[in-house]
Amino acid sequence: MLSSIGEHVRAIEDPRVERNKKHKLLDIIVLAICGVVSGAEGWEAIEEFGYEKQQWLRKYLELANGIPSHDCIARVLSRISPSEMTECFIAWTRSVSQLTAGEVVAIDGKTLRHSYNTKEKLGAIHMVSAWASQAVRAHWGIENSLHWVLDVTFREDDCRIRRGDSPANFNIIRQVSLNLLKRERSKLSIKRKRFKAALSDSFRENIFSLSD
């Protein structure tokens, strides 16, 4: 994945003006995915993962100005179009799955429990996810327990990320991460796979190599 996703990320419109592009959009998105696969549950944890695993990340990313701050990550991912993020990962999934043209994309939605923001009087967040249908489901091994796993292992319903489009984009990153973890062939639980991915560069690398 890390060697093939770049061409698809280029299709996402970078919301920043040129003078503010200290970090490449590809670096920010891939860092977020790697962090979430390795157990990160928010922007600060993704930044911390980046600093701890910077040497490993530089095998795949330029990181010309180092690791982006959690504020930078949050700001960028709050402004990216969720539909463009979705299309990016669908395109990437099609490429690694060798799908033919004309595959149907199935859309499902979910309202996150506990997501009502009383202070700002914001209603419950409705998450929308998109998956290429049967062929992609076969490739990823997507099961009906997807949302249950996201709730229990990724603590999706308790997530308080809410700036702009960041809730939808973080949910997309979670689902991509879950599918990568499910494809890893060991008998470990998703929770233990995330823990091991945080500790072991070789295990994390294996998770991503399965999609290349």
Side-chain angles (χ1 to χ4, degrees):
M1 172 192 171
L2 298 181
S3 62
S4 62
I5 194 173
E7 62 187 272
H8 304 293
V9 168
R10 281 193 287 271
I12 298 175
E13 182 180 356
D14 194 325
R16 300 169 294 176
V17 296
E18 197 62 36
R19 68 175 180 273
N20 291 334
K21 294 180 180 179
K22 181 179 179 181
H23 302 281
K24 285 188 172 182
L25 185 61
L26 174 65
D27 291 356
I28 293 171
I29 291 175
V30 172
L31 169 61
I33 295 171
C34 291
V36 172
V37 163
S38 302
E41 298 291 352
W43 311 130
E44 293 89 350
I46 291 171
E47 179 188 6
E48 186 174 354
F49 166 83
Y51 280 114
E52 292 294 331
K53 297 298 182 181
Q54 188 168 177
Q55 184 176 354
W56 180 81
L57 288 164
R58 286 186 183 279
K59 294 167 61 177
Y60 306 100
L61 303 175
E62 184 176 331
L63 297 175
N65 291 301
I67 299 299
S69 69
H70 62 272
D71 284 335
C72 172
I73 298 167
R75 186 167 53 251
V76 172
L77 289 178
S78 73
R79 297 175 61 196
I80 291 174
S81 164
S83 62
E84 290 185 8
M85 279 278 282
T86 296
E87 289 302 320
C88 165
F89 288 115
I90 289 176
W92 169 69
T93 302
R94 282 183 172 141
S95 71
V96 298
S97 302
Q98 298 182 329
L99 297 182
T100 58
E103 288 289 345
V104 176
V105 174
I107 305 293
D108 64 359
K110 180 190 179 191
T111 299
L112 299 190
R113 299 188 301 275
H114 316 309
S115 62
Y116 184 83
N117 188 329
T118 304
K119 182 178 179 181
E120 299 182 22
K121 297 183 180 180
L122 298 177
I125 299 167
H126 184 69
M127 291 298 190
V128 177
S129 57
W131 306 99
S133 61
Q134 187 173 359
V136 174
R137 289 178 184 272
H139 174 74
W140 286 119
I142 296 173
E143 301 174 357
N144 292 331
S145 61
L146 170 64
H147 289 319
W148 184 88
V149 174
L150 286 171
D151 288 347
V152 174
T153 307
F154 288 75
R155 298 183 61 81
E156 182 183 58
D157 282 347
D158 293 329
C159 184
R160 308 299 290 182
I161 292 173
R162 11 183 103 260
R163 179 194 294 180
D165 286 317
S166 56
N169 287 327
F170 200 72
N171 185 56
I172 293 167
I173 290 169
R174 278 200 190 97
Q175 295 194 33
V176 170
S177 301
L178 173 60
N179 285 315
L180 288 166
L181 290 159
K182 286 168 72 69
R183 293 192 68 236
E184 198 281 321
R185 297 178 179 86
S186 72
K187 295 183 179 179
L188 297 174
S189 66
I190 297 297
K191 183 176 181 179
R192 287 191 63 191
K193 286 181 181 181
R194 295 183 81 196
F195 180 67
K196 190 169 182 178
L199 298 175
S200 170
D201 291 350
S202 60
F203 185 77
R204 186 185 325 106
E205 196 153 320
N206 182 57
I207 289 172
F208 288 102
S209 68
L210 291 171
S211 59
D212 284 334

